[in-house]
Amino acid sequence: MVWSTGYVGAKFGLGYIEPMTFLALRFACVVVIMAGLFAILRPPLPKSPKEWIHLAIVGFLLQAMYFGMCYMSFNAGLSVGTLALILAMQPILTSLIAPRWAGESVSWRQWAGLALGLTGAVLVIIAMSEVATPPLVGFLFAALALIGITGGTLWEKRFGVSHHPVTANLVGFTAGLLGVAPFMIAYETMQITWTWQLIASLVYLIIASSLIAVGLLLAMIRAGEVSKVSALFFLVPPGAAAVAWLVLGEVMPPIAWVGMVVAGFGVFLATKRAKKTS
């Protein structure tokens, strides 16, 4: 749910600030918070240069590439619905790569669940999205965002080790900030119109999306099979549509509710543990 509400949270703020400037401000706030906690708690640091590099790579892929390219696609004119539909391919892409990359096997039941999850997500997005012809560059940014979230998930599963969350967030969001800064400097004016909507959006995205959602994602990846964890992303587009219906008053057509049920059942199949035979 915290991933889904991020769409609504971003919508509140993006009318008052440019997208990459918004991300840089968001990441900088998280870095300051983590730096303060680091100075107080003094958590252990990564033990080798490789661990530092792996933390930075995951941070760059998840923060700069995924979130950054999502916001760039919005700036290029791509609708939230179209972007969410493209990103709903992430579980399928992850499951195709996981057997070779992370040494996981994907069962036929998981494939069926992934297919149902994708079908449900498509139904919701088609029902909720207006028909439009987005620019080609918007699709390019969306494809890069898809590569970012998929690559970050797989990289964390294969190379990630258990670090203190303060250390992991400090390194990861610093990498993300360094990744989005060049886009902000090159393409934006960096002007900010301070309103309560922007402040509320920024605070919510820092706490819910940057700290809670990303932290939960990394914890789930380390604890479970990456293909099963990725299947949960099929709930993001339907969840975003439901939150927009509740909070923003956007109409929720009946077919969208059907899609949510289908996506939920698909996630259930994909993540259900197989019974052990004695």
Side-chain angles (χ1 to χ4, degrees), residues 4-68:
S4 301
T5 53
Y7 288 107
V8 178
K11 189 173 182 179
F12 276 115
L14 280 174
Y16 309 94
I17 187 172
E18 293 166 298
M20 301 307 290
T21 302
F22 194 8
L23 275 177
L25 179 61
R26 170 180 158 185
F27 293 164
C29 290
V30 176
V31 169
V32 170
I33 293 171
M34 290 298 108
L37 290 175
F38 184 87
I40 296 172
L41 300 176
R42 299 295 179 91
L45 296 172
K47 298 178 181 179
S48 67
K50 286 186 177 180
E51 291 186 8
W52 283 98
I53 293 173
H54 291 320
L55 276 177
I57 289 175
V58 172
F60 175 82
L61 290 172
L62 291 182
Q63 310 304 336
M65 193 165 180
Y66 171 60
F67 284 114

Side-chain angles (χ1 to χ4, degrees), residues 108-196:
W108 285 106
R109 176 177 51 78
Q110 287 176 266
W111 278 115
L114 290 169
L116 284 174
L118 178 60
T119 301
V122 169
L123 286 174
V124 173
I125 296 307
I126 290 177
M128 296 297 296
S129 300
E130 296 180 356
V131 178
T133 305
L136 183 60
V137 68
F139 285 105
L140 174 61
F141 288 135
L144 291 174
L146 176 61
I147 294 172
I149 186 64
T150 304
T153 301
L154 292 169
W155 199 280
E156 174 64 23
K157 181 61 180 179
R158 180 164 181 176
F159 298 110
V161 296
S162 181
H163 291 287
H164 193 282
V166 170
T167 302
N169 280 324
L170 180 57
V171 176
F173 280 96
T174 299
L177 177 59
L178 294 175
V180 301
F183 290 93
M184 177 187 69
I185 295 170
Y187 297 108
E188 298 183 352
T189 64
M190 293 176 279
Q191 295 181 350
I192 303 174
T193 303
W194 289 103
T195 63
W196 73 265

Side-chain angles (χ1 to χ4, degrees), residues 225-263:
E225 293 181 14
V226 67
S227 56
K228 291 183 178 180
V229 173
S230 295
L232 297 173
F233 277 86
F234 279 130
L235 295 180
V236 173
V243 173
W245 173 66
L246 290 171
V247 177
L248 303 177
E250 296 182 358
V251 178
M252 191 81 166
I255 189 63
W257 291 107
V258 174
M260 290 183 65
V261 174
V262 172

